[in-house]
Amino acid sequence: MTRPGRRERRSRPPVPAHPLDENGTDMTTPLLEIRGLSVSYRTRGGTVAAVRGVDLDVFPGQVTAVVGESGSGKSTTAHAVIRLLAAGGMLDAGTIRFGRHDLVTLSEAELRTVRGTGIGLVPQDPTVSLNPVKRIGEQVAEVLRIHGLATRRAAAAEAVAVLDRAGLPDAAVRARQYPHELSGGMRQRALIAVAIAANPRLIIADEPTSALDVTVQRVILDHLQRLTEESDTAILLVTHDLGVAADRAQRLVVMEQGRVVEAGETATVLADPQHAYTRRLLASAPSLTGPSAAARAPITTAPRDASRPEPAESSPPLVEVRHLVKEFRLPRAAGGHRTLRAVDDVGLTLRRGQTLALVGESGSGKSTTARLVLRLTDPTSGQILFDGADVTTAKGAQVRQLRRRAQLIYQNPYASLDPRLSIGEVITEPLRAFGVGDRAARLDRARDLLDRVALPAATLERRPAELSGGQRQRVAIARALALSPDLVVCDEPVSALDVSVQSQVLELLAELQADTGVAYLFISHDLAVVRQIAHQVAVMRAGRVVETGPPADLFAEPRHAYTRELLAAIPGSRLPVPVADTATTS
Amino acid sequence: MRRYVIKRLAQAVGVLWAAYTVSFLVLDFLPGDPVSAMAGAGMDSGQVDPARIAALRHEYGFDKPVLAQYADHLGRALRGDFGDAVSTGRPVTATLADALPQTLRLTGAALLLAAVLGGGLAVLATYTSRRWLRQLLLSLPPLGVSVPTFWVGLLLVEAFSFRLHWFPAFGNDGLRGLVLPALTLAIPTGAQVAQVLAKSLLTALDQAYVETARAKGAGRWRVHLRHALRNASLPALTVVGLLVGQLIAGSVVVETVFSRDGLGRVTAAAVTAQDIPLVQGVVVFGALIFVSVNLIVDLVYPLLDPRIVVASDRRAGIA
């Protein structure tokens, strides 16, 4: 039986290399040349082709971005280069020429000499990509130790230097710490240090900043770019974010369903996209300039029109939060007890049928604020009014009543649906919990809700695992609306989804709001998304609301320096302004 | 850290007290008492002098109310005095102390064998890329758990003592005599270690940091032993802590099958003779060993996984 991830073609000798300049400065010969690459995965249901005949070049000293949605094969292509495919992955055909080697035909042992020294990998999720039980310095030094580039002691010292080069402050201290003691951004720097430790000529960066805050993302990408410019290293950048690709890459490769549909100079591709898929990607990229979903949504109930907020103004707000404070006690430090003010004197007002967006980076207190509003956690001080009633210290039946009127949509639709329940059971669970209707009535309601979120009624019988991410989030939305709540808290509801799916889900949310008059408390780190959906925006930083206002004003004339910083950090300033008529939503 | 240890020690004392109390109550509710059992055993004719029994009852304090007996016994147990064994008249503590070294040797050897065999099996099964070998190795642990200990013991004796004459079939003589009983005891224990470790190794090998390690150019053994194994060892260690209790229980069977002296034999004899003070001594003593081993296991966790102390501190901080 053939081993996964390996091809039985070892009998063929490596093809002689292209005449390549030793320093890799020859810009006309690619450093990495992929030809006719096909990869498939063996699953229980049969063989699935993930990459089909991909050609791709990476030139020395350049950033080449591979963009596409999930399932497009971009990540598989990148991992195939160092033959680190997930279980069941098979290289079926093609050549991957790197310098003098065809990586497809190298033996596992020869390949190990290329990994780390020739090609470095910056993985996707810094929170899980470092070994939790080893010190940071040790993990960087390991690269040098494996390839015999330094003795144990020299490697330790070198690791500190590399960490410093990767932009990690206090590198000597960090080297002695464990991954869990570092923030996500710091961990990604440590992983960059791992990737660059042996001075590879190519770095494969697989969604290197998707898990990070937008300001951290910018700093990390800046640093990665500077490092490669200094050392003339090439980067193969895999990203779902067209904005990131537009800002960083000299060359752009667009993938769809395992094929390269378009490739070329970034500026050329963006200015004049040839393929329909590229145009669609460009159109659905959330931007700060296009029309917003809230404004685009068909308005059926006139008083809830966002552009005319006057009638809503007169009614009492649905949620009013005053001087809200939440403190967490930190582990005892040398100076005795310390507390963290996660939410610091926050005041918010959310009107019926409107969307209030909380924006900020991780740790800014936006999720804690939402949890306080839902009474999932107790405030240290302050006041929460829900529909005029004080629910700050509500208990028992009152909280249960609140649960019925305020629902939650989670960030990750892959984790928030019980895999053992059918979709019908998922959607009717809130109804069952509150004993609403009989079995038949609940099923009717579920069918109606599925119809509203544009899923076929047959979905009722299916399980979450059979649905795509976008479909799952639609199910989560249907579940949240089952009890006809007044408020739905959306905690980063689209950040786990592809851009084209993102815009569809946002439009759905806006439509449902127009139909039902539900209010959204919408948490997001993505200002472009917020701009599409929100009537009011509150920018949070370190537990405080630093600025509030309608998105149009806020983004046009940000008053607070932090808002300006957030806006500047959004990638995609080089993206062309989307034209409304190219938007094709299916 | 010191507060954590003190808290755990307090918990351990609580567990010991509970073990003592529960065993006291259970033994008190059982029909019959050791005096009649002893008297019955001593006189085959069946003719027992009622006055003699009453005198014995009084001597051992069985005629007092239950609560008074409990308070009396607990007070003495705290000073390390569990009374005298009814069947032999020797102090319980001395009886246990005599039996302990043999059993410690047996269970210690069994634990070592279980860790080496079970751990080795798990590492090998998850390392090999030959599918049939992996399947074969992974099917061994369920088999090892499901076969009864005494049957394994008898099989081993049959094969290695009676047929091959490699090891003695019974007795306490030296290292050679230890091999078969320790192996018998180690098979179900090692099987459970292997089961848990193999499972958590497979989970660990699926983690993103393993890909990072492979992307560094690390070889398979390096990835397996230096990266995955340490992360996977925590669940296995937890199981080892729990298995110590099973080993002590297993020694009852194994020491009987192999006619070895030790705690297990003492337990078996004490239960048969309804020797309440001795049974109680065994229960409390077993609990003491179990609690100590698990305390050690808990203290080893932070050494293997740096995140753990932080977690316990944080919990303490919020509570």
Side-chain angles (χ1 to χ4, degrees):
Chain A
M1 178 160 267
T2 4
R3 284 195 216 171
R6 181 179 292 199
R7 267 191 89 205
E8 300 304 313
R9 271 188 21 181
R10 228 172 301 157
S11 51
R12 212 177 78 180
V15 185
H18 284 263
L20 187 76
D21 185 86
E22 264 315 302
N23 299 318
T25 43
D26 182 1
M27 300 294 275
T28 56
T29 315
L31 172 67
L32 179 75
E33 192 185 270
I34 301 177
R35 289 293 174 267
L37 181 72
S38 291
V39 181
S40 60
Y41 287 100
R42 293 186 171 192
T43 64
R44 270 189 304 172
T47 310
V48 180
V51 174
R52 316 164 196 222
V54 160
D55 296 343
L56 194 155
D57 293 324
V58 178
F59 291 93
Q62 280 198 356
V63 178
T64 302
V66 184
V67 294
E69 308 203 316
S70 47
S72 64
K74 55 187 194 305
S75 197
T76 300
T77 304
H79 282 83
V81 171
I82 42 173
R83 296 226 317 251
L84 283 179
L85 292 171
M90 298 267 298
L91 285 173
D92 297 324
T95 56
I96 302 170
R97 199 167 327 281
F98 176 72
R100 284 175 288 106
H101 306 291
D102 178 5
L103 300 181
V104 173
T105 55
L106 284 190
S107 73
E108 186 71 22
E110 289 169 312
L111 198 62
R112 282 208 294 273
T113 63
V114 177
R115 289 181 191 148
T117 51
I119 304 176
L121 174 75
V122 180
Q124 185 160 11
D125 189 348
T127 54
V128 293
S129 293
L130 287 163
N131 190 335
V133 302
K134 285 176 167 249
R135 293 176 199 276
I136 298 293
E138 211 181 321
Q139 300 195 45
V140 177
E142 193 184 12
V143 187
L144 305 168
R145 295 282 298 138
I146 288 171
H147 298 286
L149 297 172
T151 61
R152 184 177 293 271
R153 286 187 59 185
E158 177 72 14
V160 174
V162 176
L163 283 168
D164 190 49
R165 197 146 58 87
L168 198 64
D170 299 323
V173 178
R174 302 295 175 211
R176 287 194 303 274
Q177 286 183 307
Y178 289 100
H180 70 274
E181 297 171 289
L182 270 57
S183 70
M186 285 200 249
R187 285 187 227 187
Q188 194 58 293
R189 286 166 192 268
L191 283 160
I192 289 173
V194 168
I196 63 172
N199 294 314
R201 308 213 359 238
L202 173 66
I203 289 174
I204 295 172
D206 182 11
E207 304 271 10
T209 55
S210 313
L212 301 176
D213 280 328
V214 52
T215 51
V216 181
Q217 175 181 54
R218 181 167 71 157
V219 176
I220 296 272
L221 288 173
D222 280 348
H223 202 84
L224 206 54
Q225 200 170 7
R226 193 159 51 233
L227 281 174
T228 54
E229 279 162 9
E230 282 164 6
S231 57
D232 210 28
T233 313
I235 298 185
L236 181 62
L237 176 68
V238 176
T239 179
H240 69 282
D241 191 333
L242 210 53
V244 166
D247 289 355
R248 306 289 168 176
Q250 282 89 42
R251 289 177 56 80
L252 200 61
V253 176
V254 184
M255 284 188 71
E256 185 198 16
Q257 292 178 3
R259 292 197 174 85
V260 172
V261 295
E262 192 157 1
E265 299 280 321
T266 306
T268 322
V269 173
L270 291 178
D272 185 20
Q274 296 299 309
H275 197 275
Y277 181 71
T278 315
R279 285 199 289 273
R280 214 171 80 212
L281 264 188
L282 271 170
S284 52
S287 75
L288 296 173
T289 42
S292 82
R296 259 186 306 193
I299 293 146
T300 50
T301 42
R304 308 203 193 282
D305 186 349
S307 55
R308 279 174 284 148
E310 287 80 17
E313 210 76 56
S314 57
S315 65
L318 179 66
V319 178
E320 197 173 357
V321 164
R322 294 177 195 146
H323 306 295
L324 202 59
V325 173
K326 176 67 182 175
E327 290 183 340
F328 290 109
R329 273 163 76 177
L330 292 177
R332 277 196 314 161
H337 274 296
R338 284 184 305 151
T339 54
L340 172 77
R341 273 206 165 197
V343 175
D344 190 359
D345 195 20
V346 163
L348 297 168
T349 306
L350 172 57
R351 298 193 175 278
R352 286 177 178 281
Q354 294 223 335
T355 300
L356 169 65
L358 290 179
V359 248
E361 309 200 320
S362 41
S364 62
K366 52 190 197 302
S367 282
T368 308
T369 304
R371 286 175 59 80
L372 289 167
V373 169
L374 286 174
R375 293 288 290 111
L376 290 170
T377 183
D378 293 325
T380 307
S381 66
Q383 202 180 21
I384 305 159
L385 300 175
F386 188 86
D387 201 11
D390 191 336
V391 295
T392 317
T393 55
K395 285 192 175 57
Q398 210 187 344
V399 167
R400 216 170 132 69
Q401 201 51 44
L402 182 67
R403 296 271 179 277
R404 186 171 180 161
R405 299 181 61 188
Q407 291 284 315
L408 180 60
I409 298 171
Y410 292 92
Q411 172 172 12
N412 190 344
Y414 294 91
S416 67
L417 304 181
D418 188 332
R420 282 171 196 82
L421 298 185
S422 72
I423 298 304
E425 288 170 314
V426 167
I427 296 177
T428 54
E429 195 175 17
L431 299 172
R432 272 178 284 140
F434 282 96
V436 179
D438 56 9
R439 231 184 109 74
R442 288 198 290 262
L443 266 179
D444 278 348
R445 176 79 177 138
R447 228 171 266 127
D448 176 48
L449 285 163
L450 276 180
D451 187 47
R452 283 186 169 223
V453 298
L455 287 175
T459 317
L460 277 180
E461 305 301 325
R462 301 175 72 182
R463 308 257 156 193
E466 299 166 45
L467 304 183
S468 71
Q471 287 172 327
R472 285 183 217 206
Q473 202 59 303
R474 284 170 191 269
V475 170
I477 292 170
R479 174 176 62 182
L481 293 176
L483 289 164
S484 307
D486 299 314
L487 170 70
V488 173
V489 172
C490 310
D491 192 351
E492 303 267 10
V494 295
S495 59
L497 305 175
D498 281 326
V499 278
S500 67
V501 183
Q502 260 187 25
S503 59
Q504 287 167 23
V505 170
L506 289 175
E507 293 204 11
L508 173 69
L509 284 171
E511 261 174 51
L512 290 169
Q513 182 169 58
D515 287 351
T516 63
V518 65
Y520 296 134
L521 183 57
F522 192 98
I523 300 170
S524 182
H525 68 281
D526 190 334
L527 286 172
V529 164
V530 162
R531 187 184 167 280
Q532 280 192 44
I533 190 100
H535 301 98
Q536 287 284 322
V537 179
V539 181
M540 288 192 71
R541 185 192 197 185
R544 285 179 166 273
V545 172
V546 296
E547 188 167 359
T548 52
D553 301 356
L554 200 93
F555 291 168
E557 292 168 52
R559 290 187 304 270
H560 197 277
Y562 180 66
T563 314
R564 284 197 288 274
E565 195 185 324
L566 271 183
L567 284 167
I570 296 173
S573 53
R574 293 182 201 175
L575 279 179
V577 176
V579 189
D581 59 9
T582 56
T584 47
T585 44
S586 46
Chain B
M1 185 71 190
R2 211 172 69 208
R3 263 183 54 189
Y4 175 70
V5 174
I6 291 171
K7 214 173 86 187
R8 287 304 313 268
L9 281 175
Q11 276 175 3
V13 171
V15 168
L16 288 179
W17 171 77
Y20 184 87
T21 307
V22 169
S23 66
F24 182 91
L25 290 175
V26 167
L27 291 172
D28 185 72
F29 281 127
L30 285 180
D33 63 46
V35 173
S36 39
M38 177 174 55
M43 297 166 199
D44 295 327
S45 58
Q47 279 288 84
V48 187
D49 178 9
R52 173 89 185 105
I53 289 182
L56 273 172
R57 282 232 168 91
H58 182 71
E59 191 188 325
Y60 285 103
F62 290 124
D63 54 347
K64 285 193 225 166
V66 179
L67 267 180
Q69 284 188 45
Y70 174 69
D72 190 29
H73 286 221
L74 186 61
R76 273 190 284 151
L78 282 177
R79 293 190 295 273
D81 177 10
F82 287 85
D84 296 342
V86 179
S87 46
T88 60
R90 289 191 65 213
V92 168
T93 324
T95 310
L96 293 179
D98 283 352
L100 184 64
Q102 288 297 340
T103 303
L104 276 189
R105 222 168 287 157
L106 175 66
T107 49
L111 194 61
L112 194 70
L113 270 176
V116 171
L117 293 180
L121 179 74
V123 168
L124 216 66
T126 49
Y127 179 78
T128 183
S129 46
R130 287 180 187 79
R131 233 184 136 107
W132 63 269
L133 184 59
R134 168 175 299 195
Q135 292 301 335
L136 180 75
L137 290 174
L138 286 180
S139 66
L140 291 178
L143 194 69
V145 175
S146 51
V147 293
T149 309
F150 72 91
W151 186 69
V152 172
L154 292 177
L155 270 187
L156 288 175
V157 168
E158 175 67 27
F160 293 101
S161 304
F162 297 157
R163 296 268 168 93
L164 297 169
H165 302 287
W166 287 0
F167 303 105
F170 51 83
N172 286 46
D173 312 329
L175 219 56
R176 267 162 52 85
L178 193 61
V179 173
L180 290 184
L183 195 60
T184 307
L185 204 48
I187 283 173
T189 315
Q192 291 179 62
V193 171
Q195 185 97 341
V196 172
L197 186 62
K199 182 102 186 156
S200 49
L201 262 175
L202 287 178
T203 311
L205 286 168
D206 233 19
Q207 301 299 309
Y209 58 78
V210 165
E211 189 184 84
T212 309
R214 292 181 67 197
K216 289 175 186 175
R220 291 188 64 211
W221 270 121
R222 190 184 190 94
V223 168
H224 218 84
L225 296 180
R226 298 216 186 166
H227 288 276
L229 186 59
R230 193 165 151 198
N231 280 286
S233 59
L234 278 186
L237 189 70
T238 311
V239 166
V240 166
L242 297 174
L243 286 176
V244 167
Q246 193 182 306
L247 281 175
I248 298 170
S251 71
V252 174
V253 175
V254 171
E255 286 177 358
T256 309
V257 169
F258 288 92
S259 311
R260 289 175 62 86
D261 295 329
L263 217 53
R265 279 285 283 293
V266 169
T267 312
V271 169
T272 317
Q274 286 201 16
D275 193 335
I276 290 181
L278 195 52
V279 171
Q280 268 219 288
V282 167
V283 169
V284 174
F285 201 72
L288 179 67
I289 295 179
F290 188 69
V291 163
S292 317
V293 168
N294 280 288
L295 180 60
I296 293 169
V297 165
D298 282 357
L299 292 179
V300 170
Y301 282 157
L303 300 180
L304 283 173
D305 190 337
R307 289 168 296 180
I308 283 179
V309 161
V310 177
S312 73
D313 276 4
R314 190 180 299 150
R315 219 177 301 137
I318 286 175

Short mmCIF file of all heavy atoms in Angstrom, two decimals, chain A residues 17 25 28 71 83-85 94 114 131 162 178 181 269 275 284 286 297 330 337 352 369 376 403 412 478 484 543:
data_model
loop_
_atom_site.label_atom_id
_atom_site.label_comp_id
_atom_site.label_asym_id
_atom_site.label_seq_id
_atom_site.Cartn_x
_atom_site.Cartn_y
_atom_site.Cartn_z
N ALA A 17 18.99 20.90 -12.83
CA ALA A 17 18.31 22.15 -12.51
C ALA A 17 18.52 23.20 -13.60
O ALA A 17 19.37 23.07 -14.47
CB ALA A 17 18.85 22.70 -11.20
N THR A 25 19.47 35.98 -7.24
CA THR A 25 19.09 37.33 -7.64
C THR A 25 18.58 37.38 -9.08
O THR A 25 18.06 38.38 -9.51
CB THR A 25 20.29 38.29 -7.51
OG1 THR A 25 21.44 37.63 -8.02
CG2 THR A 25 20.50 38.69 -6.08
N THR A 28 14.65 36.33 -13.49
CA THR A 28 13.92 35.73 -14.60
C THR A 28 13.70 34.23 -14.39
O THR A 28 12.79 33.66 -14.96
CB THR A 28 14.67 35.94 -15.92
OG1 THR A 28 16.00 35.41 -15.76
CG2 THR A 28 14.73 37.40 -16.29
N GLY A 71 -11.35 25.56 0.43
CA GLY A 71 -11.65 24.49 -0.51
C GLY A 71 -11.11 24.76 -1.90
O GLY A 71 -11.28 23.94 -2.80
N ARG A 83 5.73 18.89 1.02
CA ARG A 83 5.15 17.55 1.17
C ARG A 83 4.67 17.30 2.59
O ARG A 83 4.89 16.24 3.17
CB ARG A 83 6.17 16.47 0.76
CG ARG A 83 6.53 16.55 -0.70
CD ARG A 83 6.51 15.21 -1.40
NE ARG A 83 7.10 14.11 -0.70
CZ ARG A 83 8.24 13.50 -1.01
NH1 ARG A 83 8.94 13.95 -2.06
NH2 ARG A 83 8.68 12.49 -0.34
N LEU A 84 4.03 18.31 3.16
CA LEU A 84 3.40 18.14 4.48
C LEU A 84 1.90 18.19 4.30
O LEU A 84 1.24 19.15 4.68
CB LEU A 84 3.85 19.24 5.44
CG LEU A 84 5.24 19.09 6.03
CD1 LEU A 84 5.55 20.26 6.95
CD2 LEU A 84 5.38 17.79 6.78
N LEU A 85 1.37 17.16 3.67
CA LEU A 85 -0.06 17.13 3.43
C LEU A 85 -0.76 16.50 4.63
O LEU A 85 -0.17 15.71 5.36
CB LEU A 85 -0.36 16.32 2.17
CG LEU A 85 0.11 16.96 0.87
CD1 LEU A 85 -0.03 16.00 -0.28
CD2 LEU A 85 -0.65 18.25 0.59
N GLY A 94 2.88 15.86 -11.33
CA GLY A 94 3.47 17.17 -11.37
C GLY A 94 4.90 17.21 -10.85
O GLY A 94 5.41 16.23 -10.33
N VAL A 114 15.81 19.86 3.16
CA VAL A 114 15.28 21.08 2.52
C VAL A 114 14.35 21.83 3.48
O VAL A 114 14.38 23.04 3.58
CB VAL A 114 14.52 20.71 1.22
CG1 VAL A 114 13.90 21.95 0.61
CG2 VAL A 114 15.47 20.04 0.24
N ASN A 131 4.79 24.07 20.28
CA ASN A 131 4.64 22.99 21.25
C ASN A 131 4.45 23.60 22.65
O ASN A 131 5.32 24.30 23.14
CB ASN A 131 5.90 22.11 21.22
CG ASN A 131 5.72 20.85 22.02
OD1 ASN A 131 4.92 20.80 22.94
ND2 ASN A 131 6.47 19.83 21.66
N VAL A 162 17.74 35.41 16.73
CA VAL A 162 16.73 35.24 15.68
C VAL A 162 15.39 35.79 16.14
O VAL A 162 14.68 36.46 15.39
CB VAL A 162 16.59 33.75 15.28
CG1 VAL A 162 15.48 33.58 14.27
CG2 VAL A 162 17.89 33.24 14.71
N TYR A 178 7.21 30.02 28.02
CA TYR A 178 6.44 29.01 27.30
C TYR A 178 5.39 29.70 26.42
O TYR A 178 4.98 30.83 26.72
CB TYR A 178 5.76 28.07 28.29
CG TYR A 178 6.72 27.17 29.00
CD1 TYR A 178 7.17 27.45 30.28
CD2 TYR A 178 7.21 26.04 28.36
CE1 TYR A 178 8.07 26.62 30.92
CE2 TYR A 178 8.11 25.20 28.99
CZ TYR A 178 8.55 25.48 30.28
OH TYR A 178 9.43 24.66 30.88
N GLU A 181 2.48 31.83 27.68
CA GLU A 181 2.77 33.09 28.37
C GLU A 181 2.88 34.26 27.40
O GLU A 181 3.12 35.39 27.80
CB GLU A 181 4.06 32.95 29.18
CG GLU A 181 3.95 31.90 30.26
CD GLU A 181 5.28 31.59 30.95
OE1 GLU A 181 6.14 30.97 30.32
OE2 GLU A 181 5.42 31.98 32.11
N VAL A 269 -3.66 42.17 -12.37
CA VAL A 269 -4.81 41.32 -12.08
C VAL A 269 -5.94 42.13 -11.44
O VAL A 269 -7.10 41.98 -11.79
CB VAL A 269 -4.40 40.14 -11.17
CG1 VAL A 269 -5.62 39.36 -10.72
CG2 VAL A 269 -3.42 39.23 -11.88
N HIS A 275 -10.83 36.71 -15.19
CA HIS A 275 -11.72 35.59 -14.90
C HIS A 275 -12.91 36.05 -14.06
O HIS A 275 -12.77 36.91 -13.19
CB HIS A 275 -10.93 34.50 -14.17
CG HIS A 275 -11.62 33.17 -14.18
ND1 HIS A 275 -12.58 32.83 -13.28
CD2 HIS A 275 -11.49 32.12 -15.02
CE1 HIS A 275 -13.00 31.60 -13.54
NE2 HIS A 275 -12.34 31.14 -14.59
N SER A 284 -16.95 40.85 -3.71
CA SER A 284 -17.46 40.52 -2.39
C SER A 284 -16.49 40.87 -1.27
O SER A 284 -16.84 40.74 -0.10
CB SER A 284 -17.84 39.03 -2.33
OG SER A 284 -16.77 38.24 -2.77
N PRO A 286 -15.14 42.76 1.52
CA PRO A 286 -15.75 43.86 2.26
C PRO A 286 -14.84 45.08 2.18
O PRO A 286 -13.63 44.96 2.30
CB PRO A 286 -15.85 43.32 3.68
CG PRO A 286 -14.87 42.20 3.74
CD PRO A 286 -14.72 41.67 2.36
N ALA A 297 -30.45 46.53 1.99
CA ALA A 297 -31.48 45.54 2.30
C ALA A 297 -32.85 46.08 1.94
O ALA A 297 -33.14 47.26 2.15
CB ALA A 297 -31.43 45.18 3.78
N LEU A 330 -6.66 38.77 38.68
CA LEU A 330 -5.57 38.09 37.99
C LEU A 330 -4.85 37.19 38.98
O LEU A 330 -4.97 37.35 40.19
CB LEU A 330 -4.58 39.13 37.46
CG LEU A 330 -5.11 40.00 36.32
CD1 LEU A 330 -4.07 41.02 35.92
CD2 LEU A 330 -5.48 39.14 35.13
N HIS A 337 -2.61 41.24 45.01
CA HIS A 337 -3.69 41.03 44.06
C HIS A 337 -3.77 42.14 43.04
O HIS A 337 -3.69 43.31 43.36
CB HIS A 337 -5.03 40.95 44.81
CG HIS A 337 -5.31 39.58 45.30
ND1 HIS A 337 -5.50 38.54 44.45
CD2 HIS A 337 -5.39 39.09 46.56
CE1 HIS A 337 -5.71 37.45 45.16
NE2 HIS A 337 -5.64 37.75 46.44
N ARG A 352 -34.54 49.41 19.19
CA ARG A 352 -35.21 48.30 18.51
C ARG A 352 -34.97 48.35 17.02
O ARG A 352 -34.98 49.41 16.43
CB ARG A 352 -36.71 48.38 18.76
CG ARG A 352 -37.11 47.98 20.13
CD ARG A 352 -38.60 48.16 20.33
NE ARG A 352 -38.94 47.71 21.66
CZ ARG A 352 -39.09 46.44 21.98
NH1 ARG A 352 -38.96 45.50 21.07
NH2 ARG A 352 -39.37 46.09 23.22
N THR A 369 -18.49 42.69 27.30
CA THR A 369 -19.64 43.59 27.35
C THR A 369 -20.90 42.87 26.89
O THR A 369 -21.96 42.95 27.53
CB THR A 369 -19.38 44.82 26.44
OG1 THR A 369 -18.16 45.43 26.86
CG2 THR A 369 -20.52 45.81 26.54
N LEU A 376 -24.82 36.67 31.08
CA LEU A 376 -24.10 35.40 31.19
C LEU A 376 -22.99 35.53 32.22
O LEU A 376 -22.42 34.55 32.67
CB LEU A 376 -23.50 35.01 29.83
CG LEU A 376 -24.53 34.59 28.78
CD1 LEU A 376 -23.89 34.44 27.42
CD2 LEU A 376 -25.21 33.29 29.19
N ARG A 403 -33.42 35.32 28.56
CA ARG A 403 -32.86 34.34 27.62
C ARG A 403 -33.77 34.16 26.41
O ARG A 403 -33.34 33.93 25.31
CB ARG A 403 -32.69 32.97 28.29
CG ARG A 403 -31.71 32.93 29.42
CD ARG A 403 -30.31 32.63 28.94
NE ARG A 403 -29.41 32.63 30.07
CZ ARG A 403 -28.87 33.73 30.59
NH1 ARG A 403 -29.14 34.90 30.06
NH2 ARG A 403 -28.07 33.65 31.63
N ASN A 412 -17.98 30.67 15.61
CA ASN A 412 -17.56 29.50 14.87
C ASN A 412 -18.72 28.54 14.62
O ASN A 412 -19.10 27.80 15.51
CB ASN A 412 -16.45 28.80 15.65
CG ASN A 412 -15.79 27.73 14.83
OD1 ASN A 412 -16.33 27.30 13.80
ND2 ASN A 412 -14.64 27.28 15.26
N ALA A 478 -30.98 30.80 12.17
CA ALA A 478 -32.35 30.30 12.30
C ALA A 478 -32.64 29.92 13.75
O ALA A 478 -33.70 30.22 14.28
CB ALA A 478 -32.55 29.10 11.38
N SER A 484 -38.28 34.26 18.21
CA SER A 484 -38.59 35.65 17.85
C SER A 484 -38.06 36.62 18.90
O SER A 484 -38.81 37.36 19.53
CB SER A 484 -40.10 35.87 17.71
OG SER A 484 -40.65 34.94 16.82
N GLY A 543 -11.20 48.07 27.34
CA GLY A 543 -12.37 48.11 28.20
C GLY A 543 -13.19 49.36 28.12
O GLY A 543 -14.27 49.45 28.69
#
